[in-house]
Amino acid sequence: MKKKILAILLAAVMVFSFTACDKAQDDGVFVLSEDSLDEYVTLTEDYDVFNVEIDPIEITEDDINTELNYLIMDMVGGSEKLQKLVNRQVVSGDTVVIDYVGTKDGVAFEGGTSTSSTNLTIGSGKFIPGFEDGLIGTKPGDVVTLDLTFPEDYSSEELAGQAVQFEVTVHYILPTFADVTDDVVADLYEGFTTVSDLRKKVSQDIYDTTYDSSVEYAVVALMEEKCTYSETLPEELRQVAYDNVMQNIATYASYYGMDTETYIYLSYYQDLETFQNETAWEIADYSVKNLLFCQAYANEKDLNVTEAELDEQLESYASYYGISVEDGFTDAEIDAIKNTMMNLKVVDYIIENASVTIKEASEETETE
């Protein structure tokens, strides 16, 4: 149950964009007026008091190592020093960076070529039998030819059971942070010259990120207690929020190569029908309440988005996507952007002014 509640909260935080409804002001931007806002939400007397507690933040050596290894993966492609750190034969468990060309009867076949420096962990089983084993014992800079046969049950009928050749170039063995020495630290993080100092920096970064996200979630979770809502929420906003929930779910499912039903089951432990009829509406309603509170708070604290701020953001988006502001955004999209900016502006303001307490570690936590 706790995981489900957390998933709902996180999903609701993401549904900040709403399009215009028939209560839009004359300028086409959806901002609830004070009169219409009062129909749905009333701030409590202590609406501006945010005393939040967060769990103790513990950074382990594994956390630091994991982050450092991600850093290596990001930086190694542009650093010859990092690429040359591991100069030995490839063994099982290594991640090698390779290019390869696959041919059948001397002709390259579809999907069998990569010239974009592919990462492959030896022993992962991602490639056909014999491919990964064939790289064991090679060294960075080697070019090897692998004579292999696709499995009989391979998904492509044209390749199933067929003999092929792969010419593989082993560029380098991906180092881990255990391979890093002081003389290459600057290639990982500018301004640092020792492994020890970099570990301290990364540890602090992890702490800061964890602290910030913990406070943000605590603040968002507390918002609903800082006002009272009418029995009915604006139906236009509920429907837009619901549609956004389902759109986001479909987008994330596609990103992970899943269908929507599988993604929902793995993320929420629910079947598609239950999610559509129950949980998606819970997330939508939470999002609408969040928007209503933030708009009421913005009105009280003079935190509404100015036209100058909106224009600057639209110019930024337009530049990024290579479009013009005049032709690139519909009124509904501009409304969504403005509402998103307002939400974030309010949340940032509350976080900056919140009173934060870190809970004392329990005995159970201390002994883990």
Side-chain angles (χ1 to χ4, degrees):
M1 179 59 70
K2 184 176 180 181
K3 282 189 175 182
K4 178 189 172 186
I5 292 173
L6 179 59
I8 289 173
L9 173 61
L10 298 185
V13 171
M14 297 301 294
V15 187
F16 274 157
S17 299
F18 297 88
T19 54
C21 69
D22 58 11
K23 287 185 172 63
Q25 293 180 340
D26 292 339
D27 62 4
V29 176
F30 175 71
V31 178
L32 284 169
S33 69
E34 292 183 5
D35 291 338
S36 61
L37 194 64
D38 289 343
E39 297 175 23
Y40 305 111
V41 61
T42 303
L43 296 176
T44 61
E45 290 185 3
D46 67 341
Y47 77 95
D48 197 28
V49 179
F50 278 79
N51 298 320
V52 298
E53 282 190 327
I54 63 174
D55 291 328
I57 300 172
E58 297 181 355
I59 310 301
T60 68
E61 289 300 304
D62 284 344
D63 293 332
I64 298 171
N65 290 336
T66 298
E67 192 64 28
L68 286 166
N69 285 329
Y70 281 136
L71 182 59
I72 288 174
M73 292 180 67
D74 288 340
M75 303 302 295
V76 67
S79 170
E80 290 187 10
K81 284 185 179 180
L82 292 174
Q83 293 171 15
K84 293 178 179 179
L85 275 180
V86 184
N87 186 24
R88 56 167 171 75
Q89 291 185 333
V90 174
V91 299
S92 181
D94 282 340
T95 296
V96 292
V97 179
I98 61 173
D99 285 342
Y100 56 88
V101 177
T103 58
K104 176 179 175 293
D105 299 327
V107 179
F109 55 85
E110 184 177 357
T113 297
S114 172
T115 57
S116 56
S117 298
T118 297
N119 287 11
L120 174 63
T121 300
I122 305 301
S124 64
K126 290 185 177 180
F127 281 49
I128 65 172
F131 190 103
E132 295 171 28
D133 288 344
L135 299 182
I136 293 176
T138 62
K139 295 186 68 176
D142 285 353
V143 179
V144 296
T145 299
L146 306 178
D147 293 307
L148 305 174
T149 302
F150 275 94
E152 294 289 345
D153 60 352
Y154 191 68
S155 56
S156 169
E157 293 183 2
E158 294 182 1
L159 294 174
Q162 297 298 304
V164 295
Q165 275 192 340
F166 283 95
E167 184 176 276
V168 185
T169 302
V170 181
H171 291 302
Y172 55 90
I173 300 171
L174 188 69
T176 66
F177 195 71
D179 302 307
V180 172
T181 55
D182 287 350
D183 62 321
V184 297
V185 164
D187 284 52
L188 276 177
Y189 211 116
E190 187 176 354
F192 287 81
T193 57
T194 69
V195 170
S196 176
D197 286 346
L198 181 55
R199 290 187 70 85
K200 291 176 183 176
K201 168 61 176 174
V202 169
S203 178
Q204 185 62 51
D205 287 347
I206 296 172
Y207 182 94
D208 292 343
T209 299
T210 306
Y211 177 89
D212 290 345
S213 62
S214 298
V215 173
E216 180 177 354
Y217 292 140
V219 162
V220 172
L222 189 59
M223 283 181 178
E224 196 169 353
E225 299 178 17
K226 295 301 180 179
C227 58
T228 56
Y229 297 97
S230 63
E231 292 185 5
T232 58
L233 299 173
E235 194 56 40
E236 301 95 331
L237 292 184
R238 292 188 73 234
Q239 187 61 56
V240 171
Y242 178 85
D243 292 343
N244 283 350
V245 171
M246 297 309 301
Q247 174 76 37
N248 288 344
I249 290 293
T251 299
Y252 282 120
S254 175
Y255 178 81
Y256 289 109
M258 304 178 189
D259 57 54
T260 300
E261 187 170 5
T262 301
Y263 179 83
I264 288 171
Y265 177 78
L266 293 175
S267 299
Y268 296 89
Y269 312 104
Q270 292 179 341
D271 58 62
L272 178 61
E273 183 177 357
T274 300
F275 182 86
Q276 289 175 323
N277 296 333
E278 298 177 14
T279 303
W281 283 110
E282 291 179 44
I283 297 172
D285 285 345
Y286 192 100
S287 304
V288 170
K289 288 180 178 180
N290 180 277
L291 176 66
L292 293 173
F293 169 81
C294 286
Q295 185 61 75
Y297 194 99
N299 290 346
E300 290 291 331
K301 291 289 189 179
D302 194 23
L303 292 173
N304 282 299
V305 176
T306 66
E307 289 305 312
E309 290 171 336
L310 178 61
D311 289 344
E312 183 180 356
Q313 187 64 71
L314 291 176
E315 289 287 353
S316 176
Y317 283 148
S319 175
Y320 180 81
Y321 290 108
I323 57 178
S324 68
V325 173
E326 293 75 15
D327 302 329
F329 303 101
T330 64
D331 287 344
E333 289 169 339
I334 293 175
D335 297 343
I337 291 169
K338 188 168 186 177
N339 281 321
T340 299
M341 292 174 65
M342 182 272 293
N343 271 268
L344 296 177
K345 196 173 182 179
V346 168
V347 171
D348 287 346
Y349 178 89
I350 294 174
I351 289 173
E352 184 177 341
N353 292 278
S355 174
V356 182
T357 302
I358 300 178
K359 300 175 185 177
E360 292 187 10
S362 64
E363 292 185 5
E364 181 180 351
T365 302
E366 291 173 351
T367 57
E368 286 181 350

